[in-house]
Amino acid sequence: MANVLRNSAKFGFSGVLSQLSIHSRHGRECVSPCFSLQQRNNSTSPKIKVDLDSSTGVAVLRMQSPPVNSLSLDFLTEFCINLEKLEMDRSCRGLIITSTLSKVFSAGLDIMEMYGKSPERCGEFWKAVQEMWLKLYGSNMATIAAINGSSPAGGCLMSIGCDYRIMVDNPRYSIGLNETQLGIVAPFWFKDTLVNTVGNRAAELSLELGLLYSAPDALKIGLVDQLVPEDQVLSTAQDTMSKWLAIPDHARQIDQCVYIIYNTSPLPLDHARQMDQCVISVCIYYI
Ligand SMILES: CC/C=C\C/C=C\C/C=C\CC/C=C/CC(=O)SCCNC(=O)CCNC(=O)[C@H](O)C(C)(C)COP(=O)(O)OP(=O)(O)OC[C@H]1O[C@@H](n2cnc3c(N)ncnc32)[C@H](O)[C@@H]1OP(=O)(O)O
């Protein structure tokens, strides 16, 4: 594992972050064209299912990639294509993200993508991770995560990339950015998103100790907004979404934009690339 990761560092992640920019939530700009995303989507069976209710303008995106909805390159590509399609569909104003799997929302980044892969593939994978975050955090749609299972690391990032989080009230389900427990470090844009959700001190403790919070503890620190019984997670998300959609889109979007601009590091592209490379290189050195 260590050798493979060191090789990734030696060759560098060419092209990684080339399209990273801090987008406002009301920006309609795509991070990359659908064309290039579709070109690299090699999966055979859909890992994502989307149902858009045109009467309400709410889409439900179900992650259905057993065993744990891990975020592989194929998964992320499909996820981003679906997000782009919904973003461009003006009839869609709200998005609920959930999982069809029992017990797991998403296990985060697919560990197998970080092992035994070429530097080019690693670069492509990392870019896909960034695209997922940019598209979700910068979405025009109101977004709600209906977290019906555990959601560590990248799964947590996906959740906090949404506007609102409803989690199943089950102490066995956990959520958090646990990277340091794995001997790796969450990149700065993971940190920013966490700070924007739970505040500075809670984020600092959470990141340094790699804490995974049970659902009740996650509610206590504000990592999730609401707990509900398992069978009510989707209906509660639908009800909550109707409240969000009662707000005029432009007002909500501008408000989100202002919040993000003042609370997220507006790093220039080169700086962002260097910082991600630095984090990954340090991780590779110590693994
Ligand atoms: C391009 C980059 C290159 C190099 C990078 C180098 C360094 C990286 C530096 C910075 C990156 C920082 C960012 C990291 C973000 C991440 O997301 S890292 C991933 C962290 N994920 C986890 O820690 C989750 C681990 N999994 C779990 O905790 C549990 O599996 C979970 C609670 C989700 C479910 O538990 P349970 O229902 O009991 O299932 P099992 O544990 O039995 O698992 C079932 C099978 O699923 C496989 N699996 C689990 N997680 C992953 C995963 N993340 N990727 C791939 N596969 C996973 C597990 O092995 C089991 O498989 P098996 O049945 O044994 O074949």
Side-chain angles (χ1 to χ4, degrees):
M1 175 82 167
N3 281 342
V4 174
L5 296 173
R6 279 193 195 99
N7 277 341
S8 303
K10 188 169 73 181
F11 291 105
F13 296 102
S14 57
V16 176
L17 279 171
S18 61
Q19 295 183 57
L20 177 63
S21 56
I22 300 301
H23 284 227
S24 71
R25 283 192 180 210
H26 75 295
R28 274 262 169 202
E29 197 181 338
C30 288
V31 172
S32 66
C34 290
F35 179 63
S36 66
L37 285 174
Q38 269 154 4
Q39 270 185 325
R40 71 173 192 220
N41 185 17
N42 301 318
S43 63
T44 46
S45 59
K47 299 177 190 306
I48 308 267
K49 184 172 182 292
V50 176
D51 293 303
L52 172 59
D53 181 339
S54 49
S55 66
T56 59
V58 178
V60 178
L61 183 154
R62 292 178 174 84
M63 299 183 285
Q64 49 176 28
S65 181
V68 289
N69 285 330
S70 62
L71 308 179
S72 62
L73 180 56
D74 281 347
F75 183 103
L76 290 164
T77 303
E78 205 177 310
F79 185 88
C80 288
I81 289 171
N82 277 292
L83 233 56
E84 277 187 5
K85 282 184 185 159
L86 293 172
E87 202 73 56
M88 286 187 291
D89 183 341
R90 290 195 174 267
S91 72
C92 182
R93 298 175 58 217
L95 172 67
I96 296 169
I97 300 178
T98 193
S99 162
T100 60
L101 309 180
S102 64
K103 300 191 296 184
V104 182
F105 181 74
S106 167
L109 304 192
D110 192 318
I111 301 293
M112 299 316 290
E113 291 285 4
M114 303 186 217
Y115 178 75
K117 297 286 191 283
S118 68
E120 291 75 20
R121 169 88 186 195
C122 284
E124 210 182 342
F125 173 62
W126 197 244
K127 190 168 152 186
V129 178
Q130 293 167 335
E131 279 181 2
M132 181 269 285
W133 175 73
L134 286 169
K135 284 186 197 312
L136 199 53
Y137 210 38
S139 175
N140 266 334
M141 299 175 282
T143 50
I144 295 180
I147 309 165
N148 52 344
S150 289
S151 196
C156 176
L157 180 75
M158 185 183 275
S159 305
I160 60 180
C162 293
D163 296 311
Y164 195 81
R165 283 152 291 285
I166 300 165
M167 190 166 183
V168 168
D169 191 2
N170 184 336
R172 289 192 186 158
Y173 296 163
S174 60
I175 182 168
L177 294 179
N178 58 322
E179 280 79 358
T180 55
Q181 282 202 33
L182 309 173
I184 55 180
V185 179
F188 73 93
W189 39 283
F190 283 47
K191 184 272 294 174
D192 278 350
T193 320
L194 186 65
V195 168
N196 290 349
T197 308
V198 300
N200 258 308
R201 182 59 182 149
E204 187 181 15
L205 285 173
S206 173
L207 287 166
E208 288 184 14
L209 297 173
L211 298 176
L212 279 174
Y213 298 88
S214 68
D217 287 344
L219 181 67
K220 277 184 205 147
I221 66 156
L223 184 53
V224 298
D225 298 296
Q226 199 176 341
L227 297 186
V228 294
E230 184 113 37
D231 60 349
Q232 289 170 28
V233 69
L234 202 53
S235 57
T236 308
Q238 301 271 17
D239 289 348
T240 308
M241 184 60 85
S242 61
K243 289 177 196 150
W244 281 75
L245 296 188
I247 305 297
D249 285 349
H250 71 277
R252 176 182 51 75
Q253 289 160 1
I254 292 169
D255 194 63
Q256 286 170 335
C257 168
V258 169
Y259 183 81
I260 285 189
I261 284 174
Y262 281 100
N263 293 289
T264 307
S265 312
L267 292 172
L269 288 181
D270 280 353
H271 194 169
R273 186 179 62 240
Q274 282 163 18
M275 286 188 66
D276 259 13
Q277 279 182 345
C278 170
V279 165
I280 288 172
S281 301
V282 169
C283 289
I284 287 164
Y285 183 80
Y286 283 105
I287 284 173

